[in-house]
Amino acid sequence: MRRAIELAKHAEQLGEVPVGAVLVANQNQEILSEGFNEVIRLNDPSAHAEVQALRAAGKLINNYRLVDTTLYVSLEPCAMCAGLITHARVKTLVFGAFDPRTGATGTAIQVLNHESMNHRVEVLGGVLQEESAALLQNFFRRRRKNHMN
């Protein structure tokens, strides 16, 4: 999770919403891939941290199924990312800050592990929650302040 937060800080330095993601192979705890928000930089609404990390891992292992992996994300995934995590067959999701507006692991809506889905993901939320939430709160506070001036 610490590495996901480092990646979130990198995204922030690039002017992106500070979210980072790291995918780890459960077998040997090796980092397979990393990602951070690049929506603005790439002009791509799908370039969320989770998407970037899972795309890179799929290319690395030459398979769209990322079984027996754990995805660490600094923010609770949105509906798009929750669907992606399910389809990729990620085993475990660990996230930092809860997202009351768009969190799709049950905070705002339930997409991940919805009863209609055929794959279940183990979920552990709130890991380093304060640090992850503070990054986001400070980012948006500065952004609002700059827009007011």
Side-chain angles (χ1 to χ4, degrees):
M1 183 57 78
R2 290 260 175 238
R3 180 64 182 148
I5 291 172
E6 287 176 19
L7 291 164
K9 290 176 182 177
H10 178 69
E12 182 176 28
Q13 291 171 350
L14 297 173
E16 299 281 353
V17 175
V19 180
V22 177
L23 187 70
V24 174
N26 291 339
Q27 184 178 17
N28 58 11
Q29 296 302 300
E30 177 185 338
I31 292 177
L32 294 175
S33 61
E34 301 177 335
F36 53 86
N37 274 4
E38 295 185 88
V39 174
I40 298 166
R41 212 165 69 96
L42 298 178
N43 296 308
D44 180 353
S46 71
H48 290 196
E50 301 93 322
V51 173
Q52 301 299 75
L54 296 181
R55 281 181 180 158
K59 288 179 182 176
L60 177 72
I61 68 169
N62 202 30
N63 195 334
Y64 70 104
R65 298 286 197 215
L66 304 171
V67 297
D68 201 26
T69 58
T70 297
L71 181 64
Y72 295 87
V73 187
S74 59
L75 177 65
E76 180 180 8
C78 69
M80 174 184 69
C81 294
L84 175 64
I85 291 163
T86 299
H87 290 297
R89 302 298 192 264
V90 170
K91 183 175 182 179
T92 307
L93 167 69
V94 179
F95 69 86
F98 290 87
D99 187 345
R101 294 180 57 192
T102 63
T105 69
T107 301
I109 57 175
Q110 181 60 265
V111 174
L112 198 69
N113 294 335
H114 187 274
E115 62 189 34
S116 67
M117 297 293 203
N118 64 343
H119 175 71
R120 297 288 180 259
V121 178
E122 298 170 20
V123 179
L124 176 60
V127 175
L128 299 179
Q129 177 180 352
E130 293 81 18
E131 189 174 345
S132 296
L135 264 175
L136 291 156
Q137 290 165 350
N138 292 334
F139 173 83
F140 286 112
R141 190 175 295 123
R142 281 191 306 277
R143 184 182 243 186
R144 283 190 298 274
K145 183 179 178 183
N146 290 338
H147 281 39
M148 294 166 108
N149 294 333

